[in-house]
Structure formats: C-alpha cells, structure tokens
Amino acid sequence: MRRLLFFLCLIVLGVARLSGAASAQQPTPAFVTKAKQVYMVEAKTGTVLLASNENQAFPPASLAKLMTMEVVFSAIRRGEISRDTVYPVSEYAWRTGGAPSGTTTMFAALKSQVRVEDLVKGVIVQNANDACIVLAEGISRSEGEFAARMTARAKDIGLSRSLFGNSTGLPGAENRTTARDLVELARHIHREYPEFYPLYAQPDFEWNKIFQRNKNPLLALNIGVDGLGAGFAEGSGYALVASVARNGTRLFLAMGGLASDKERLEEARKVLEWGLSSFETKVLFKQGEVVGQASVYGGTSRYVDLVAREPVDIYLPTNNPDRLSGRIVYRWPLRAPVAEGQPVGVLKISSADRVVREVPLVTAQSIKTGSLTSQATDALLELMFFWL
C-alpha cells in the first residue's frame, strides 16, 4: 500500500513540475479575433495557440480544393496516376467550372486533353473549378464518386468532422468541415507532400497562352505566408487556411465566419503576427528524461518510468497568463511483462482549461513477470484501490 501511495505521489510531482515550467510568467491579455471559428497551431510542437469554435462545422467553399488536391497527390504518390496522365474536359466540367460558369477557371476548352500536372497547377494557383472536375472525373467515374473518395480519405487521415459532396466546394452539394480539420489537413499536406507544397506559393501560372496570377489573397500580406487558400460561402462568410514561416517558426491557421475579404485579410495579418511575435519555445522535458511513472501489475517492479522519444517542448506566450498543468493518461494498470520502449499512454499538457499539446509516452525499461506472491499482492492492492 505504501508503494501504491508513493506511485500516486510521483504522478502528482510530475504534474507539479510541469506546472512550474511557466508559472513565473506575468499575465497578458487574451487575443481576440472577429472570426467565428479559429484554430492556430505551431508546426514543430503542435502547440495550440488560439482556438474558438474550432469544431463548429461550416461550408469550406473553395477550401474543399485542399482535400481534392490531397486525393490527387496521394494517387500520384501511389502510382495510380502520373503527372503526365492526360484527362479529357467533359461538357459537365466545362459548363460547371469552365468559361461558361463565371467562376474561377483555367479556361480548359471543351473536349480538349489536359495533363495532370497542368490541372494541379490550375487548381492550386488559379483556383480553377474546371480543373477540379476534370481531375475528379478522370480519377473516378464521376465527380460524385470522387467526392465520396474525398470524404473517405479525410477520415483516413483523421479529419473526423469533414464531409465533401463535390471537388470544388461550389454550392449545390453538401460540404462541411471545421477550422480544426482544415489546420490538420494543411499540416498533413505540408508534411507529406513536400514536392507539391511549393505550388501554393507559386505567384502565377500560364497555360494555353492564358496568364493568371495566384488567386490566394493571403500571399499579398508579405509576412511569410506560403499557402494555402481562401473561400467564401453564402450565409457563413469568408474563410481561410494559412501557413506562415519566419525565423524557423511555422504556424498553421484556419479562420471562418468573417464579414468581408478586407476583414479576412486584416484578421489573418493580426493573428499571424501575434503568433509569430508573442511566443517562444520552452523545453519542459529533455529527450529520454523521466516524465512520470505507470503502475505495473504482476511484475518484478510495481511501477515503470515513462519517457518521451523526443524533447517535450511547447510554444508559449512570452508573458503567459495561465499556469501549465500536465497529466499522464494510460490504461491502468499495465500488465507484466512490459517491454522497454513499449507505447503506454500520453502526456496531456494544458493551459487554463484547454489541452495545448499531447505527447506519446513509452516505457524507459523492461519489467519481467513477478513471482506468484507478488502477483497475488498486486491483485490485493488493485482490489483495495478500487474499494477506496
């Protein structure tokens, strides 16, 4: 029983140590934005810098094209298609997203043949709806089937609140997403497709003797934004997904529910500048440093040290108003034998009432199966714990 209480004290001490990492900071006012939905994270640590209604659904409009491109990039990566694959421009693609549509387009001619590489640039640089539909029909038998593939792929990469009804985000189909899902999608594209990501910052694209500048208004902010897009949906307002890099720091931001294009640019600038200038990285635990202990049932030892495989750092406000706290979450108790390096649980780091980072933890040493006597003692301690 004494060792059980000792274990509980060790866990508390681990949390107290983490809490003390930023407790000496002085308060600063919380940042306020006009966006109805907002979510911003720092790329390296995954620290959540700003979150409000981040899981509230809204139509992505043209931001649905980010998911369209993820499906296309994935198909190229797997060899399903290549950059030189050629797809025809159907009448549906031409009328719905081409010159007759009055929407953003790469002006692909009816019944012409277009290379995948040109279609990809048309979507990313020119925000071209016809290019989206041509890709969708080429990869799947119809845009509807491609949209179903988009939704399924979104689930595969962890976007649990997103649904796609077409490849363009144009009205008339059910499309919905969240600020959190959009940030996770942007991070995924940046991380998984470095060969394609630079296209989001390409300033212009000329195709078939038609020259168009990049349609992403965020690039004009001149603060280091290098992607990813903007959208507008009737009834839900203006939205954006931005990535900015400066002095080795990269931020990902999604905002929705803004009143105008001007407000969208102003709020994006303010939020990103705040994120870049008002934070610094703090190391809470070094790589391999013991974060806490987990209880072991039926082993030669009743607890095992837990460590992270990389430094546990966090992107904190230079003047932090909230004390940090941390808790280790795992399935109690572990059953012996326990292998060294075995994934066990997660360290959840919170600021105020919001989890700002989660770090996977593994065991620092192996624990062998104990004797029958030790197993019986552990069984008794477990029973007493639940009774208490």
Side-chain angles (χ1 to χ4, degrees), residues 245-317:
R246 185 191 296 173
N247 299 328
T249 297
R250 178 174 291 277
L251 308 180
F252 289 93
L253 167 69
M255 305 175 79
L258 293 156
S260 66
D261 180 51
K262 180 181 178 182
E263 184 173 89
R264 175 171 58 191
L265 292 176
E266 290 174 348
E267 290 298 295
R269 180 189 295 276
K270 288 193 299 183
V271 172
L272 290 171
E273 285 286 9
W274 170 73
L276 289 167
S277 63
S278 303
F279 291 76
E280 60 184 350
T281 300
K282 295 278 190 180
V283 177
L284 304 180
F285 294 95
K286 297 177 183 178
Q287 182 178 357
E289 185 177 355
V290 175
V291 175
Q293 289 79 29
S295 177
V296 178
Y297 173 85
T300 53
S301 175
R302 293 204 179 104
Y303 56 89
V304 63
D305 292 335
L306 301 181
V307 299
R309 285 190 167 129
E310 57 187 26
V312 179
D313 48 11
I314 190 169
Y315 196 59
L316 284 171

Side-chain angles (χ1 to χ4, degrees), residues 5-133:
L5 292 174
F6 179 58
F7 159 69
L8 292 174
C9 288
L10 285 172
I11 292 296
V12 172
L13 287 172
V15 172
R17 178 181 181 182
L18 188 60
S19 299
S23 60
Q25 308 290 345
Q26 296 300 315
T28 188
F31 192 87
V32 178
T33 175
K34 296 177 182 178
K36 293 180 181 177
Q37 303 91 16
V38 61
Y39 191 65
M40 182 167 68
V41 303
E42 191 270 333
K44 179 177 177 293
T45 65
T47 305
V48 180
L49 309 185
L50 188 62
S52 178
N53 296 321
E54 69 272 22
N55 294 321
Q56 186 179 87
F58 62 91
S62 285
L63 296 176
K65 294 180 174 74
L66 295 177
M67 194 67 234
T68 297
M69 286 296 93
E70 200 289 330
V71 173
V72 174
F73 297 158
S74 177
I76 294 173
R77 176 72 60 80
R78 294 195 316 273
E80 180 182 348
I81 62 175
S82 77
R83 297 171 187 244
D84 293 322
T85 300
V86 175
Y87 289 135
V89 180
S90 69
E91 183 170 352
Y92 172 73
W94 178 70
R95 290 193 181 278
T96 306
S101 69
T103 65
T104 50
T105 177
M106 67 184 295
F107 298 100
L110 176 63
K111 298 182 180 179
S112 63
Q113 305 279 325
V114 189
R115 292 169 63 242
V116 164
E117 182 167 0
D118 293 326
L119 291 167
V120 166
K121 291 179 180 178
V123 174
I124 295 175
V125 180
Q126 300 171 345
N127 201 33
N129 291 313
D130 52 353
C132 285
I133 300 172

Side-chain angles (χ1 to χ4, degrees), residues 203-246:
D204 51 63
F205 176 51
E206 182 175 355
W207 180 79
N208 202 22
K209 300 182 180 180
I210 300 173
F211 176 88
Q212 295 189 67
R213 297 193 181 279
N214 196 307
K215 294 294 194 297
N216 183 359
L218 304 173
L219 299 178
L221 292 174
N222 294 320
I223 60 172
V225 172
D226 58 11
L228 288 110
F232 168 76
E234 203 68 49
S236 64
Y238 292 78
L240 65 91
V241 177
S243 179
V244 62
R246 185 191 296 173

